[in-house]
Each structure stands twice: as C-alpha cells, then as structure tokens.
Amino acid sequence: MTVRVPAKVNLQLSVGARRDDGYHDLVTVFHAVSLFDEVTVRPADRTSVRVTGQDAAAVPAGRGNLAAIAARALAASLHRRGKSAVQIEIRKRIPVAAGLAGGSADAAATLVACNDLWGAGLTPSQLRDVAAGVGSDVPFALLGGTAVGQGRGERLTAALAAGTYHWVLAFAAGGLSTPEVYATCDRLRAARGAANGAEAVLSTELMAALRSGDPAAVGPLLSNDLQPAAVSLRPDLRRALAAGREFGAFGAMVSGSGPTCAFLAANAGHARELAVSLTGAGVCRGVVRVKGPAAGAAVVAAKTR
Ligand code: C5P
C-alpha cells in the first residue's frame, strides 16, 4: 500500500498565548504544495521504519519515528489486537526539520495506508481525529489544499482559494527544532514586553486575496509570527529573504518554524527565473519549484510488493 503526501507552507501563522499544556493557541492558513513524500506500508512481524532519499540519515528510524507512532495510534484506536505490525518504508523528498511538516506528512501517509491495508474503513474525519493525537500538523497533511487551522493547528476548516500559486522553496543547510523556535518566539516577546496573552487572529485580507486568486494580492499579506524567532536562530535566513524580494518575489517568508524560505512567484516562468537567481546568489543549499494547493495524502498504489 503506497501513499503520496504533500509538504505544507503556512500562508499565515498567527501565534497566540502559550497554553498550560506547552502548546500555543494559533490561527494558521495551511497550504499544501507539490513536494511529496511516498510511504509504503506492508504487513510484518514487527513494526520497523526504513527511510531513503533526501536527508534520510537525519530521520529518526525505529519506534520513535512519527510514522511508527501513527501506526500504533491507529491500531490502538481500532482496538486492534495482534497483526498490527507493519514495515514502513518512507521515500523522502521533503527535507527534515525544515518547517515543511515532512514528519507530519509521513505520519499522515501511514494513517491512510494502514487504514486501507487493515480494511479499517475509518472516514476522513475519524482519521483526522486520530491524526490530531499524533501531531498538530498531521490532520492537515490528510486534508491538503488550503485550510484554516485553529487550536494547536489541528482544528481545520477548508478555505475558499482560487487559482494555482507558484512557489520557490529555498532549503537551508541544517534544520531548526520546532519547540526551540516557539520558545525563542516567547522569549523575544517577553523581552519586548509583549504580553504572553497575544491573541491569534485570522487575516480577513489574506482570505479575500486567496479568493481572488491573484498572487500579487496574496504576496504582501503572507505573515509568520515565528519568522523573527527563526531568523534570530539562523541570521543567514535574512540574506535569503532579502534576495528573494530583490528578485521580484511577490512574497518572501520563512515556512512554519523554518529554516526553509518560501517565495511566491507571479507565474511558472517567474518561478523558474527566481529559482535560478536564488541558486546563483548562493543564499541557500538548494531550491525547488512547487505549486499549491496540492491534494492531501492519497493512495497511489495498492500493491504491497
Ligand atoms: O504537535 P507537534 O508535536 O508537531 O508539535 C511540536 C512542538 O511544537 C510542540 O512540542 C511545541 O513545542 C510546539 N508547538 C507549539 N504550539 C503549537 C504547535 C506546536 O508550541 N500550536
């Protein structure tokens, strides 16, 4: 059973107060893009995870891998006894710890694959409930498209968005730890004297621009409250963001908790030019052109061997 699953960027990431459980209340606009991992799941005697492709060595293998955690969470929710061990093979194209929710994507793909493999028949909304327990970004990787996330990011509402958006993603060397970026965000706010009680609010201007389908309108409205924290941990990102703006990107932002930077282009041709210019400027480890919105996790092949 093979499932393809997209990476995401956040078109808006409004971070509110830190809650008692350590998470932050947020309002975010998720947008799935056409950079995909593939996950194959086969019945096995014991659960294992094998990773190949982009940054494979940096992915935690074994029981601690989010995909293995997802398989166990699904088995538990089905009260499945025995016969729930699976061999999980992840072919990575989404870089690790990059702010693109690659680990969450693999977990989502594993849920879809096991649901099918085991004939469990959970509905998309039931699967999203299991996904929310695995990680904040996992439900969105199931849904795909463009959607508003609330709570920890797990409560989703599909967004009305017109058109196709052309992006260039600029990968950075190394990753950033999501908890560290959130903690840095809190520290920067405290140092500024900003209350921890900041309220996360959806940008109605951004939602209107998305309905118009016009990247020139969407670009200036992209926002990410985690960006100052990501840039303070990785000051080199400033150069990448400045270069993208200089090369005419309609919008330039850190994706999620970073360090990947996402640049919104006018169209496919502009994205090609932007990718070449960013590569030439030497401000990143590599670039990839993607389109959004992309579909969520979906079965591509039912063959298991
Ligand atoms: O849910 P997930 O395991 O992906 O979250 C990873 C970490 O990111 C959390 O442990 C927390 O530190 C931070 N986080 C947060 N608020 C959110 C989502 C994530 O503080 N809404």
Side-chain angles (χ1 to χ4, degrees):
M1 190 63 60
T2 295
V3 171
R4 191 177 86 147
V5 64
K8 62 86 188 155
V9 296
N10 303 75
L11 307 181
Q12 185 195 359
L13 182 44
S14 177
V15 178
R18 187 175 180 278
R19 313 190 308 201
D20 290 342
D21 64 3
Y23 284 92
H24 292 72
D25 267 322
L26 50 85
V27 174
T28 187
V29 181
F30 289 113
H31 182 69
V33 294
S34 60
L35 175 66
F36 301 99
D37 278 359
E38 269 188 13
V39 176
T40 300
V41 165
R42 303 180 178 89
D45 294 332
R46 58 178 194 89
T47 294
S48 65
V49 180
R50 197 168 86 91
V51 187
T52 58
Q54 174 86 37
D55 296 344
V59 183
R63 289 177 64 78
N65 186 289
L66 209 57
I69 292 171
R72 284 202 300 277
L74 182 63
S77 82
L78 298 169
H79 306 291
R80 206 179 147 84
R81 290 202 192 83
K83 293 213 173 112
S84 54
V86 281
Q87 182 198 87
I88 303 167
E89 192 184 318
I90 303 173
R91 282 178 297 285
K92 286 215 74 65
R93 290 187 59 218
I94 308 173
V96 176
L100 298 166
S104 302
D106 300 338
T110 303
L111 290 177
V112 170
C114 290
N115 189 40
D116 242 57
L117 182 70
W118 296 337
L122 291 195
T123 63
S125 120
Q126 287 171 321
L127 266 188
R128 282 204 293 278
D129 286 344
V130 179
V134 178
S136 309
D137 290 343
V138 184
F140 176 71
L142 293 173
L143 185 66
T146 305
V148 176
Q150 284 168 288
R152 287 184 291 130
E154 86 287 13
R155 286 205 330 262
L156 297 174
T157 318
L160 283 174
T164 299
Y165 296 87
H166 297 267
W167 299 89
V168 177
L169 303 181
F171 303 141
L176 275 175
S177 141
T178 303
E180 195 183 342
V181 175
Y182 273 100
T184 304
C185 174
D186 289 341
R187 253 196 321 275
L188 291 177
R189 284 180 171 179
R192 266 206 337 260
N196 179 35
E199 207 190 325
V201 207
L202 181 66
S203 162
T204 49
E205 294 88 352
L206 173 64
M207 298 313 283
L210 285 169
R211 283 194 297 275
S212 79
D214 177 7
V218 170
L221 296 170
L222 300 171
S223 70
N224 179 0
D225 284 357
L226 292 180
Q227 183 161 314
V231 170
S232 90
L233 291 165
R234 291 287 305 262
D236 56 320
L237 298 182
R238 231 186 285 274
R239 273 185 66 215
L241 292 168
R245 285 190 206 102
E246 194 182 312
F247 297 135
F250 284 158
M253 61 168 178
V254 170
S255 173
S257 54
T260 303
C261 292
F263 302 96
L264 182 57
N267 50 44
H270 182 216
R272 267 194 299 276
E273 285 170 24
L274 203 51
V276 170
S277 304
L278 285 164
T279 306
V283 291
C284 52
R285 158 165 84 105
V287 297
V288 65
R289 283 179 289 120
V290 295
K291 285 187 277 190
V299 173
V300 290
K303 252 180 37 207
T304 57
R305 56 190 87 238

